Amino acid sequence: SPDVVRKFRASWQPDAGFKRVFHGRANDPHLQWAASMTHGVSTQSSNKAETLVNPNPKTLFQQRLANRKENVYASIAKGPLGKSHDQRPGLPQNLNTDYFTFGLPTELDIGAGGLINPDKNYQQVQDESSVGHDLYVKTHANFDVGERVRRNYTCPSFDINRGYGIPTPHSNDGKEVRQTLKWLQQDDQTSKIVSQRVDNFRERTQSQLGRVHDPIKDTLNVPADHTFGVLLKPDQYGAGDLLHNRVPGSYLRGRDQQRGVVAAARQHLKKVNYHNFPDLLAAFRFYDKDCSGKIDINGLREVCVEFHLPLEPEMLEQVFDFCDANRDGKIDYIEFSNFLNWKDKMESGFADKPEISGEFDQKTAQNSGSTPRRLKQQIDRAIGNHKTSAGMINAVVGGVSTRDYRTYGVPTIRMDLPAPRTRRIDDLNNYGEESDCYGLLNPSIYSSKGIYERDFLIPRSLEELKVIFEGIGVRMTGQTLEDVYNIAAASHPKGDVCVESFRNVLDDYQAFQVQSGQHPLAV
């Protein structure tokens, strides 16, 4: 751009990273040296904070030189460092400073004790306090303790000195106080005698101290510890069973202590196997007392007693049932290697002993090669196989069919209602003729011309179809037009023909002509 244009552009629309410069100062020659010009007086650097806080130590010569410079001041001469200020040079001559005092003497009063407890009788104190009391009552409403408040009543029968109400009984000898401090059981008076009927009525209608008010207690023939209501039997399943979708028979509610004992016994057996045997094969041989290739419950009991693991028969059966995965009543090598050892901690024992006979079945002991079959997960199956209903319904493979499910709510597309011929402005229902999300994102070429899908489905006559198709450049004879129209009308129950049905039949008709060689474009 020319410099003239660039000058105005830099004023109202500067480039990125450039400073805005008014166009009136664009050609000012002083801008070049004004950019680097500084104003003011350069300040000399002074002492730093570290020097002031921790100055360098002075030598003896430097200290005495500084003292000599300071002695020229009068303040140093009158009040040297470490001594009080001497005021004697400024006092008059022949003045005895030891006995002479300045100021006015203070007269000795009665003291604080006389102010707090003056040497006056009660009447003198009352007379002195009553002086000007009426003025204070008038200006500040300052009434004495126990004094009647003056409300300026104008009733002629009102007397300010008259007392109203019933006087409170009192006795100066303390007889009333003694009576209030006397306990009820020390009183010689007997309790008031009332009838049994009145006492029962009071207990039935009034709340008693420490008891629940029960007005219908006499009409109920139930024991005192009776509880009303229906006793609900607790559910067999808990919240965890519902979340993991456990089937009946595998619920874990109420079995926490049992599962804890079983897990502790199993953990103890794992430690025994790890610390006492070099590999799994040696541990299994020790458990297999009869050399049958499987461990029964008696062999497991003997091992528990030998390794100081006292288990009750019920708990031992639960541990055995937990290890017996195939429910054959015995623990084979596969179950032993999966449930009573730490995985990847002990070797199988088959690497140096390939041939095994007479102890247990080799097929049972080995799944492939010399490595025993291992379980993939030793956790609750409900956790690993947990599936949500939404995931099962929306699954692509193995999904649940929702055809027979009951539907709730109002459908978004109201296909259950006939579309009105004339729609109101406030009618926002979708009767199926509106476009969906795909139609909005990918509109057809006809929508730009103001033609929608419902226009293709309106029944039309033969003359209207002829005008429409000739308007888009389709040429056909009268016989072909009638044949296509009759075929399209025969496919509709009422004999209606729309643009869409006519176009489909016309496409099939032309495809048949091309295949049979009757069409001009046929090869």
Side-chain angles (χ1 to χ4, degrees), residues 33-34 69 118 128-129 137 152 166-167 192 199 228 248 273 325 361 368-369 403 448 472 490 501:
W33 56 266
K69 293 180 180 179
E128 291 180 0
S129 62
V137 170
N152 300 326
I166 301 175
K192 186 177 180 180
D199 192 30
F228 295 90
N273 297 338
D361 190 9
S368 61
R403 182 181 60 181
S448 60
I472 62 177
S501 61

Side-chain angles (χ1 to χ4, degrees), residues 364-390:
T364 306
Q366 296 177 339
N367 183 27
S368 61
S370 60
T371 303
R373 178 168 50 89
R374 302 292 181 88
L375 294 182
K376 295 182 179 180
Q377 294 179 348
Q378 294 189 22
I379 59 175
D380 190 1
R381 293 189 59 189
I383 299 177
N385 299 335
H386 176 64
K387 297 180 180 180
T388 60
S389 58

Side-chain angles (χ1 to χ4, degrees), residues 54-72:
N54 189 15
N56 297 326
K58 296 180 180 180
T59 61
L60 181 60
F61 176 77
Q62 293 176 349
Q63 183 65 35
R64 290 185 177 181
L65 183 62
N67 295 338
R68 183 175 181 136
K69 293 180 180 179
E70 293 290 337
N71 289 335
V72 298

Side-chain angles (χ1 to χ4, degrees), residues 468-490:
I468 292 173
F469 280 87
E470 288 181 353
I472 62 177
V474 179
R475 298 290 184 267
M476 65 185 74
T477 60
Q479 184 64 31
T480 303
L481 179 63
E482 293 181 0
D483 295 342
V484 173
Y485 185 86
N486 294 332
I487 296 174

